[in-house]
Amino acid sequence: MKLFLVLVFIFTSNPSIAAKSALVKFVKGKATKLLPGKQHAAKLKKGDRIPEDTSIVTGRRSFVKIVFNDKTTLNISPNSKVVVSKIPADKASMVNLLTGVIKAQVKKNIKKKTKTKLLVKTRTAVMGVRGTKFQSTYNPVNKNTSLVTVEGKVKMVRLQNHADASKINIPKKDDLTKKVKKISKPEQVVKLDDIDSLDNLIDTSDSAVEVPAGRYSGVVGEIAKPTVPVKIAPQQYNALAKSMNSTKTAEDVMKVSDTDPAPEGFENKQTGDIAPKAGGFVDFTTGIYVAPTAKAVLDKKTGTFEDKNIGKVDRITGDYIPPKGVKVHPKRGFIIDRKLVAKLASNEDKAKVLKTVAMLNQEVDKQIYEEKPKVEAKPESKEPSKWWPKNHMLALKFMPYSDDYTVKNKIDGSKKDFNSEGAAWIIFSWMHEWNETWSSRIRIGGQRYDINDSDLMNVYKYGENEDEFFSLGVAYRLNNRFKFLFDLTGRSEYYVLPQGLPGDVSLEVNHVSSLDLGADILIKQYEKVRLSFLATLSLIGKQEIPGIPDPSCMDFCDNREEGELSGLNLSFNLDYWWRKNLGLNTSLFYNHNSAEGETIEHTRNAVGLGLDFVWDV
């Protein structure tokens, strides 16, 4: 116990030891620390002392606040990793932001040998803080560093991508317009782990920018230096300032001045200066700046553009909230949120989401840097022909059914009723999607048809090898609710004829050609389920059908005659996609067919269940 008290006394009474550590003031959620020389991380707790070269990692919904001996406070947001690199007593402290978001407050009256009071370094930028409140983001996926100043001013300079571990090349002034990968010989060498060297770089570099309150600047893509500071959306600034206990408002820090860059943004190819449009939102997760679009309206009081089409912000945290159906990806920019889009009822709503994504990505594409692997040049492949479908779908449908079949002898007025058993169609479909409006399909298959012979003496079949089905068709999608179908179909139809003695019947196959006109109507759309109603009218006209046998015929025979044929099919369909490219269609259908000749009338009413397995190739 005495030894412990002695160590505590030595630690607290020796300024050189106390100066080289920071104090953990607050911890929420799960956070860990990895002390220098240790191999395993430990739980971070309130009251812990953080020495130099300590890594701090915060989990989801976690938050850490640490205080340096000069009263500088550093708030580490969720899903972040920070290394407290240097904590000297007489110079600027240095923090490495490896991923995530930090908020910091630095006192103006701190006396240091360096002009900078706090250095914040990422893989692509270094920031010098001299008394201010600010927030910074670094995303290692797209290598974007973003900076928003809340109070005071922060200076930022770009560090060349993929620099040596101990030094970095700073480009000559004449080379600032060139891309980072093409920078020429260095003007000076800067040590990344030396406080004096970095402080001097920030103070003297021609490519450094000074970011005042209410402004954003970013090291993005392959742009050779940080973007020219521009004002962010006033509502985002107000929320961010309030979250950092600042009394400033957008009206205080965004007064229009002659020194402000053009609010509509600009790009100077001679100097390499790039300024995005003022009034945008900063996505703190990806480090992407969401600039206002051409539809934005200029607010002359603040010199910012207001645009309701690009999203909104959380009023408490200031976090960016994209438009409905849209997400922000660090490398791909704005992408479709497929789960939300699947719930949209109409094609018009889905088209709006696509337009929004394309509109927002026009500016975002410039901010995304993607390392492309070196590959050998290959001959350019020919573009796919516009006459080739954009998508293919294969389906196999099994349709068991039962029917009531009525035959009426128009000569003597007699009727006979029959029922089927074991009847079914099997149809294979190959569908082609040409664009969002037009599609086509080819269907082939056959059927099995058996009459219920429990009350019959003999059943004779004719043409058993002609159970065929073939169809060519197109579909036109009017909108998300209505689709029209047109099919030219050739199929086999069974006709039941009483013959010879009572209880003797024949099943005769006849080929029928028709033009089928259908309308598919959406009833309800869920995330993976689609409920619809389909009505199809078969226009057949006059074709040959089996008639009443000639009484003089001594054997089983028929008498062909011309008849008027028609058909109607109604079905309720339930589509379910359990995977992205695999689906199941179930349907409950009713079919009515009639054929009326001079001597006979055939009527069929069928009810069945369809089971369709679909593969989106």
Side-chain angles (χ1 to χ4, degrees):
M1 184 66 180
K2 291 182 179 180
L3 178 61
F4 174 76
L5 293 175
V6 170
L7 291 174
V8 171
F9 174 76
I10 294 173
F11 181 82
T12 55
S13 62
N14 191 330
S16 62
I17 296 177
K20 290 186 177 291
S21 64
L23 178 66
V24 178
K25 291 287 288 185
F26 182 80
V27 178
K28 178 184 178 182
K30 295 182 179 180
T32 60
K33 61 180 179 179
L34 182 62
L35 297 172
K38 298 291 184 180
Q39 294 183 349
H40 300 286
K43 184 178 179 181
L44 187 68
K45 303 185 298 294
K46 179 181 177 181
D48 285 350
R49 277 283 175 181
I50 303 299
E52 291 182 338
D53 294 324
T54 298
S55 298
I56 298 175
V57 178
T58 57
R60 187 185 177 195
R61 299 178 182 176
S62 300
F63 172 81
V64 171
K65 179 178 181 179
I66 63 175
V67 179
F68 295 86
N69 290 318
D70 57 10
K71 305 304 180 183
T72 293
T73 60
L74 184 71
N75 296 333
I76 306 173
S77 299
N79 297 320
S80 299
K81 184 174 182 179
V82 172
V83 178
V84 181
S85 300
K86 306 282 185 181
I87 317 177
D90 55 349
K91 296 181 182 180
S93 298
M94 185 163 67
V95 172
N96 285 2
L97 175 58
L98 302 181
T99 183
V101 182
I102 60 170
K103 297 179 181 180
Q105 179 178 356
V106 180
K107 300 290 184 179
K108 291 183 179 180
N109 56 357
I110 301 174
K111 293 183 179 180
K112 302 276 187 179
K113 292 182 179 180
T114 51
K115 292 182 179 180
T116 301
K117 314 304 181 187
L118 175 68
L119 286 167
V120 177
K121 191 177 63 170
T122 71
R123 287 289 301 274
T124 58
V126 61
M127 288 155 275
V129 188
R130 297 175 179 180
T132 184
K133 292 182 179 181
F134 71 96
Q135 175 167 303
S136 182
T137 297
Y138 177 67
N139 191 301
V141 177
N142 56 19
K143 301 178 175 64
N144 278 13
T145 299
S146 70
L147 168 65
V148 177
T149 304
V150 175
E151 290 184 10
K153 295 178 181 179
V154 180
K155 261 196 164 185
M156 179 165 65
V157 66
R158 174 162 195 150
L159 301 179
Q160 182 183 348
N161 285 329
H162 315 297
D164 184 87
S166 61
K167 61 185 179 181
I168 179 168
N169 296 334
I170 301 302
K172 291 182 179 180
K173 186 175 181 180
D174 295 337
D175 296 319
L176 292 176
T177 59
K178 298 180 181 179
K179 289 185 176 181
V180 173
K181 289 186 176 180
K182 297 182 180 179
I183 291 175
S184 62
K185 293 182 180 180
E187 185 178 81
Q188 64 182 113
V189 175
V190 177
K191 294 181 180 179
L192 294 180
D193 58 352
D194 185 79
I195 293 175
D196 292 318
S197 186
L198 289 173
D199 183 53
N200 182 61
L201 167 66
I202 293 170
D203 195 45
T204 61
S205 175
D206 292 332
S207 63
V209 298
E210 191 172 61
V211 185
R215 273 74 168 174
Y216 152 85
S217 179
V219 172
V220 297
E222 292 187 346
I223 301 172
K225 55 183 178 179
T227 60
V228 175
V230 294
K231 298 173 183 175
I232 64 173
Q235 59 266 42
Q236 186 172 38
Y237 174 80
N238 288 333
L240 185 59
K242 189 175 181 180
S243 71
M244 297 184 69
N245 298 318
S246 174
T247 58
K248 301 289 185 181
T249 65
E251 293 183 358
D252 299 328
V253 302
M254 294 186 183
K255 295 178 181 178
V256 178
S257 170
D258 294 337
T259 59
D260 290 340
E264 63 272 13
F266 65 85
E267 181 175 355
N268 190 325
K269 293 184 179 180
Q270 292 183 347
T271 63
D273 291 331
I274 294 179
K277 206 169 188 176
F281 298 119
V282 182
D283 181 54
F284 299 135
T285 302
T286 62
I288 290 175
Y289 177 78
V290 186
T293 66
K295 297 181 180 180
V297 179
L298 178 64
D299 180 1
K300 295 183 179 179
K301 292 183 179 180
T302 59
T304 60
F305 282 92
E306 183 179 357
D307 192 345
K308 296 181 180 179
N309 300 296
I310 62 175
K312 56 185 179 179
V313 295
D314 187 301
R315 294 184 178 181
I316 298 176
T317 63
D319 292 335
Y320 171 63
I321 303 173
K324 186 177 181 180
V326 177
K327 295 192 296 186
V328 189
H329 188 277
K331 272 197 173 183
R332 293 157 58 193
F334 284 91
I335 59 174
I336 297 172
D337 188 333
R338 297 191 179 277
K339 289 185 179 180
L340 288 176
V341 170
K343 297 178 182 179
L344 299 179
S346 67
N347 273 351
E348 287 82 1
D349 291 338
K350 294 179 181 179
K352 287 180 182 178
V353 173
L354 291 173
K355 286 184 179 179
T356 301
V357 169
M359 175 180 63
L360 295 175
N361 278 332
Q362 288 179 359
E363 289 297 326
V364 169
D365 287 345
K366 300 176 183 178
Q367 303 179 47
I368 298 173
Y369 169 72
E370 185 173 356
E371 242 185 298
K372 297 180 180 179
K374 294 181 179 180
V375 294
E376 295 182 0
K378 295 182 179 180
E380 294 184 0
S381 58
K382 295 182 179 180
E383 294 183 0
S385 171
K386 63 180 179 180
W387 300 109
W388 188 251
K390 293 183 177 180
N391 191 33
H392 299 265
M393 297 177 70
L394 302 177
L396 182 64
K397 191 164 191 172
F398 178 62
M399 301 170 60
Y401 68 91
S402 176
D403 69 11
D404 294 324
Y405 194 95
T406 301
V407 183
K408 179 180 180 181
N409 188 325
K410 298 178 70 174
I411 297 175
D412 60 16
S414 62
K415 288 184 179 180
K416 292 288 185 180
D417 295 322
F418 303 96
N419 300 105
S420 64
E421 65 174 10
W425 282 99
I426 297 179
I427 298 174
F428 172 77
S429 302
W430 179 20
M431 292 161 280
H432 330 91
E433 293 182 355
W434 301 91
N435 50 49
E436 292 184 359
T437 303
W438 290 97
S439 60
S440 60
R441 64 179 176 176
I442 299 173
R443 295 181 294 166
I444 59 174
Q447 72 167 320
R448 175 183 175 180
Y449 187 84
D450 291 322
I451 196 77
N452 189 335
D453 59 359
S454 59
D455 298 325
L456 301 175
M457 295 293 295
N458 297 295
V459 178
Y460 301 91
K461 293 184 179 180
Y462 295 91
E464 293 183 5
N465 297 326
E466 298 179 7
D467 300 347
E468 60 185 18
F469 181 96
F470 181 79
S471 176
L472 291 173
V474 296
Y476 173 75
R477 185 183 295 276
L478 180 64
N479 51 46
N480 193 54
R481 291 187 61 85
F482 295 96
K483 182 170 70 173
F484 300 101
L485 301 95
F486 311 88
D487 292 277
L488 290 174
T489 304
R491 64 182 181 274
S492 299
E493 286 286 355
Y494 274 93
Y495 293 89
V496 184
L497 288 173
Q499 290 206 15
L501 298 173
D504 288 351
V505 297
S506 65
L507 292 179
E508 302 190 19
V509 180
N510 204 43
H511 183 81
V512 175
S513 299
S514 65
L515 170 62
D516 300 333
L517 306 179
D520 184 290
I521 304 170
L522 174 67
I523 298 175
K524 194 70 176 179
Q525 176 79 52
Y526 301 96
E527 183 175 344
K528 293 184 178 181
V529 179
R530 183 181 188 271
L531 180 63
S532 63
F533 172 74
L534 174 65
T536 304
L537 179 64
S538 296
L539 304 179
I540 305 173
K542 292 185 178 181
Q543 293 189 22
E544 193 177 67
I545 62 172
I548 298 298
D550 188 343
S552 62
C553 180
M554 300 303 294
D555 200 352
F556 292 100
C557 54
D558 67 329
N559 181 27
R560 297 282 169 172
E561 62 181 52
E562 194 176 66
E564 287 282 350
L565 286 77
S566 64
L568 174 67
N569 186 78
L570 305 175
S571 68
F572 286 96
N573 306 291
L574 183 67
D575 299 321
Y576 173 71
W577 291 87
W578 73 87
R579 289 187 181 178
K580 186 177 180 181
N581 62 339
L582 293 175
L584 177 67
N585 171 275
T586 58
S587 59
L588 179 65
F589 66 87
Y590 164 77
N591 178 261
H592 171 81
N593 285 325
S594 66
E596 184 175 359
E598 184 179 348
T599 64
I600 199 167
E601 183 178 342
H602 301 269
T603 305
R604 173 181 283 110
N605 293 295
V607 176
L609 178 68
L611 200 59
D612 205 346
F613 297 93
V614 184
W615 178 34
D616 189 338
V617 181

